[in-house]
Amino acid sequence: MASNGYGSLPNNSRPSANSDEERQPLLASNTQTSKATSWRKSMTADVRRDWADLVLLACYIITGLLDSASISTWGSFVSMQTGNTVYFGLGIAAPHESTRWIKSGTSLGCFCIGSVFFSSFHRMLSPSPKRRWVLCASFALQMAFIASAAAILTFGPQSSSEEKKESIGWPVLVPIALVAFQSCGQAVASRALKYNALTSVVLTSIYCDLFSDAELLAPRNPERNRRVGAPTLLLIGAVLGGVLARSTVGAAGVLWVAAAMKLLVVISWLLWPSERE
C-alpha cells in the first residue's frame, strides 16, 4: 500500500503491458539498425589480400573454359588477346580468306573497351580498389555479361558448328563481344589486389618468369607456386571447356558453367575476411 497524504492507495507491482509493447518495436528497430550498420561497414571495408591469390587462380579455370569453347565454336579467343592480334593481322593481309579476323578484331576491341570500363569502375567509385562491394559488383557484372551471351546461344537463332565458324552475324559477334568485354575484369582485379602476375589472360610471361626463377626448386617459393598453378588451372579449364563444347551441352553450356563460377567468386568476396584496421 502507498500513501498520498490523504490515505492509503493500492500498490500495483505488475509491469505495464503498454510499456512492454512499446519496448518491443524499439528493440527490433535497434537490432535491424545494428545489422544494417554492420553490413555497410563490411561492404565498405577492404578485403584482406592474404590468400586472395587463390580466388584469382580459380579465375584461370574460367579463362580456360571460355577460350576453349570460343575457339571450338567461333575460331577466335575471348580472353587471350595475343592470338587474336595475330589473327587480326593475318586478316588484314588476306581479308577474303576467312572471317576469323573480324571476330578476333571484335573480341580485341571489346576487351580494350572493357579494360577502360573496369579499371575506371575500380578507381573512380571507391577510394580503394579493394573495397568488398567494388569487387563483388565487378564480378557480378562479369557474370551478367557471360549469362547474357549464354542466353543468346541457348535461346537465339541456332546454326551448325560449321556455319558458326564462318558466320559474322549478330548471334556470333554479340556473344563474342560480351564475353571479351568482361574478360579483362579479372585482370583489373588482380591489379587491385597487387597480384599483378595473375591476370588470367596472359601465360607467356608466366612461363618465362617460372623457368627463369633462380629459386625454381626451392622448398618454399610462393611466387613459383602461383606460376605453376596458373597454367595448370587454365589447362584444366581448357580441357573441360573443349569436352563440354563438343558434347550435347555445347558452347552455351560452357558459358553457363563459367557464369556459375563467377557467382561463386562473388560469394567468395562477400565472405572474405576484411583488412585489419
Side-chain angles (χ1 to χ4, degrees), residues 154-272:
T154 303
F155 306 109
Q158 302 298 313
S159 58
S160 66
S161 58
E162 290 302 319
E163 289 175 335
K164 288 180 181 177
K165 287 277 188 180
E166 293 300 321
S167 174
I168 52 173
W170 75 265
V172 170
L173 292 183
V174 172
I176 290 174
L178 290 171
V179 179
F181 183 90
Q182 66 80 38
S183 290
C184 57
Q186 297 176 167
V188 171
S190 73
R191 299 291 196 268
L193 293 166
K194 305 300 182 185
Y195 288 108
N196 293 344
L198 299 180
T199 62
S200 76
V201 294
V202 177
L203 282 187
T204 307
S205 59
I206 288 181
Y207 284 130
C208 177
D209 293 340
L210 173 62
F211 291 102
S212 63
D213 190 349
E215 299 181 353
L216 176 61
L217 301 179
R220 183 176 177 82
N221 188 340
E223 287 292 336
R224 184 268 324 274
N225 297 341
R226 295 187 192 105
R227 291 165 185 156
V228 170
T232 302
L233 292 171
L234 190 140
L235 179 61
I236 292 171
V239 172
L240 292 175
V243 170
L244 291 174
R246 288 171 171 80
S247 69
T248 55
V249 301
V254 177
L255 294 184
W256 286 119
V257 171
M261 292 189 67
K262 291 279 188 177
L263 177 60
L264 292 177
V265 174
V266 174
I267 295 172
S268 297
W269 292 134
L270 281 173
L271 302 177
W272 205 261

